[in-house]
Amino acid sequence: MKSTTYSEKVLDHFRNPRNVGTLEGEDVSMGRVGNPVCGDLMEIYIRVKDNIITDIKFKTFGCGSAIATASMITELAKGKSIEEAEKITRGDVADELDGLPPIKMHCSNLAADALKAAIKNYREKGHQSEKEKRTLQKIIGIERFQDAGVYTKINDPQQLKDKRIIILDKGEESVSRACLLRELSPRVVFITPNKESLFNEEFKQKLHKARVKILYETEILELLGRKKIEKIKVHDLNEDEVYELFADAIIL
Ligand code: FES
């Protein structure tokens, strides 16, 4: 193939891309990658049910080849198991498109890498929720303070104005909550079992910018109080020390 010739299939997927858009929901995972060669971006969203990719969408700031390869990879991955989808290579995508001009092969990396990133995030989410469940089961007093300082969702953030708020690390959503609540209270503490060096850099920046205090390598052992939460007992995993913090609310 000449360096500038596009196959009919590439042109078709470029002109009529399949599965353009985004997906939302608990069962959706997203992969976002950038192309180091040209700086373009690709996002792929997968909805997974019983280990099968039941829906998939993409969004890209990329060239025509990036659009065509993303369109094709979404067609190839839809209906496949996670393990099957993971095996799709950029070569497979290019082959299905009857080839890409050689100088455009780097564009096919975007779609294949974004799909892999979405699958990776899906897997991490699974591990995360299992880990979260175990963590929550271990905290003494969660049941007892269910309506007295333990929150799983916040309907009215104003009720937490100026309170001493503890937020448990549950990924991106908890980081956003912490930043939002910091606007209502100067006493917001974000607790994560992760070491500082392993903590997501983007989250760290967001929390620093919002001036949320982060306690790394810390886990919550127990919620304490009479009728409402007054303190929490935490374990500093690094120093292996147990101590107490004053708190009015804990966001799980
Ligand atoms: Fe950037 Fe094709 S030139 S993805």
Side-chain angles (χ1 to χ4, degrees), residues 35 37-41 60-66 104 106-108 110:
N35 192 329
V37 179
C38 59
D40 289 335
L41 278 177
T60 185
F61 296 100
C63 65
S65 300
K104 285 289 178 181
H106 73 90
C107 311
S108 61
L110 265 188

Side-chain angles (χ1 to χ4, degrees), residues 18-24 27-34 41-48 53-61 65-78 82 85-86 88-90 93 107-122 125:
R18 284 57 148 184
N19 307 307
V20 177
T22 59
L23 295 172
E24 283 180 12
D27 52 357
V28 171
S29 302
M30 191 263 277
R32 180 189 293 129
V33 292
L41 278 177
M42 173 81 65
E43 289 177 357
I44 287 192
Y45 298 76
I46 55 173
R47 188 185 307 284
V48 183
I53 298 179
T54 57
D55 202 359
I56 178 165
K57 297 264 189 252
F58 79 92
K59 197 164 89 173
T60 185
F61 296 100
S65 300
I67 294 171
T69 48
S71 169
M72 179 53 91
I73 210 166
T74 56
E75 289 283 90
L76 291 175
K78 197 186 270 186
I82 285 292
E86 201 172 26
I88 301 172
T89 64
R90 65 175 180 147
V93 185
C107 311
S108 61
N109 284 343
L110 265 188
D113 290 351
L115 177 60
K116 288 201 165 52
I119 290 173
K120 183 167 174 269
N121 285 339
Y122 161 75
K125 227 159 126 178

